Amino acid sequence: MKNTAFSIGLLILSLVDVTAALFAITGTSSPALITFDRDTLSVSSGVPQSLTWTETDIAIDSTSGRIFGLSLNTMLEFDPVGGAVINSNSAPNMNGLAAHNGTLYGISGTSSPSLIAFNADTLSVSMGVPQSSTWTETDIAIDSTSGRIFGLSLNTMLEFDPVSGAVINSNGAPNVNGLAAIPEPSTFTLLLGAGLIWAFGCRRRC
């Protein structure tokens, strides 16, 4: 029992201990993926180009490891190994990009910003209608545990209904840009902690 419990604890740890890197997008007419070493923050693959659109963002679907990008009206998928563009589609008047469970999300609009969803395989719109313009000060974040979707659109913080795309909450957020969400605690997280405590506890006492 002692060895079995301890090996389970190690197996769980090995699943979350994965090699990680930082990714960014460079370029305008031919956007490309750049990889950075997370310890030195230096470029490890790819060559930065001379220009990049301000309407650029990148997202990784944590469930699949697929890497997606938004580069001035174009939705992209990159090969995570070589960095080449392997799929693309039109995404007019969008800004901000997030990926969750096989769906991509962005924000479109100025006075009445709305949530736009894209199919990750086709990169085509699956929910919402892109508007005629979007603020550059726009970003989006998803709580990967609860699925709640939040947005930032020129001095306004938003929460969207993930099913309809409607704004369900908003508040002022002046002079900020960039948005990220820490996942809410989940049952799996709690069970993982309890499992590790039990495993290491058994190693000492069983």
Side-chain angles (χ1 to χ4, degrees), residues 182-201:
I182 295 177
E184 296 177 4
S186 67
T187 302
F188 175 77
T189 303
L190 297 176
L191 288 175
L192 173 62
L196 290 176
I197 292 171
W198 177 80
F200 285 102

Side-chain angles (χ1 to χ4, degrees), residues 19 57 69 72 88 90 119 121-122 125 132 154 168 198-199:
T19 302
D57 205 353
L72 188 65
S88 65
S90 175
N119 180 289
D121 294 324
T122 63
V125 173
S132 59
L154 189 64
I168 56 176
W198 177 80

Side-chain angles (χ1 to χ4, degrees), residues 27-38:
T28 53
S29 58
S30 299
L33 188 68
I34 304 295
T35 305
F36 292 80
D37 183 281
R38 62 183 293 167

Side-chain angles (χ1 to χ4, degrees), residues 31-47:
L33 188 68
I34 304 295
T35 305
F36 292 80
D37 183 281
R38 62 183 293 167
D39 295 320
T40 64
L41 303 185
S42 58
V43 174
S44 56
S45 67
V47 179

Side-chain angles (χ1 to χ4, degrees), residues 144-164:
S144 59
T145 299
S146 66
R148 295 173 67 183
I149 302 178
F150 303 92
L152 177 66
S153 179
L154 189 64
N155 301 334
T156 303
M157 192 70 71
L158 307 159
E159 181 174 2
F160 296 96
D161 183 329
V163 177
S164 68

Side-chain angles (χ1 to χ4, degrees), residues 58-83:
I58 190 169
I60 299 176
D61 190 324
S62 60
T63 60
S64 64
R66 296 169 69 182
I67 302 176
F68 302 92
L70 178 66
S71 179
L72 188 65
N73 301 331
T74 303
M75 192 72 71
L76 306 159
E77 181 175 3
F78 295 96
D79 181 344
V81 178

